[in-house]
Each structure stands twice: as C-alpha cells, then as structure tokens.
Amino acid sequence: MSKIIDKFDIRGSKTFRKRPEKCPYCECSSIHSVEILGAYEGALMWECDYCHAFLLRFTKRTTEKHLQKAKKLLIDVSNWEELWEQLPN
C-alpha cells in the first residue's frame, strides 16, 4: 500500500516539535510551516525555503495517520470564485 508521506521529500526521521532555527541539510534559516487542510489543526511539518526539504514535526507514522484523515476530505474547486465573493461561514 502506497503511503501519502512518501510523496514528500522527507529526509531522515528526526522530528522538530518547534520550527527549527535552520535547515539541517542546507543551513538556510528560512523555514515555513506546512499545514494540510483536514489532516491536522496547525503545522503538520516544516519546509525549507531554499532546498525544499520537508522536516518532520511528528514521527513518520503519526504524520501518515494525520495525512490519511485528509484523504476523506472532498474539495470541489469548480465554484471557488463564487465562494470567494461570499461571507465566511
């Protein structure tokens, strides 16, 4: 069975509960949080702005469990322009 987490360029298994000061691979200090709608409320992982490596916030197993939740979320993008003009619900 294919895992969703395998689609991300995650190197290693070290976890960073808080956003790291710098990327452990290229030492760039520009790291942003990655949030995935329907998977987890808040940052699920981190991404380096320079080398684009994804860094784990949780273990790979826990991250995969969260990503599996997002598979059940259906987003219909056909009417996004119409939704954009409406007030938030």
Side-chain angles (χ1 to χ4, degrees), residues 7-22:
K7 296 178 182 176
F8 293 90
D9 179 21
I10 297 176
R11 303 176 199 167
S13 58
K14 181 176 167 113
T15 59
F16 301 87
R17 296 291 288 162
K18 295 184 178 181
R19 186 171 54 86
E21 298 279 325
K22 63 181 180 176

Side-chain angles (χ1 to χ4, degrees), residues 17-88:
R17 296 291 288 162
K18 295 184 178 181
R19 186 171 54 86
E21 298 279 325
K22 63 181 180 176
C23 175
Y25 305 106
C26 71
E27 298 191 0
C28 176
S29 61
S30 184
I31 307 282
H32 68 269
S33 63
V34 176
E35 296 186 26
I36 299 181
L37 185 66
Y40 184 79
E41 185 71 32
L44 182 61
M45 59 185 86
W46 316 105
E47 184 182 15
C48 173
D49 288 334
Y50 182 76
C51 72
H52 303 287
F54 288 95
L55 310 172
L56 292 168
R57 180 174 180 198
F58 308 106
T59 64
K60 284 186 176 184
R61 183 178 177 173
T62 299
T63 303
E64 179 65 26
K65 285 181 182 179
H66 288 304
L67 289 169
Q68 288 294 329
K69 291 187 278 185
K71 279 177 58 173
K72 299 172 188 167
L73 186 64
L74 173 65
I75 299 175
D76 179 10
V77 297
S78 65
N79 65 343
W80 271 19
E81 285 185 36
E82 186 180 308
L83 290 173
W84 179 257
E85 294 173 1
Q86 296 176 5
L87 293 173

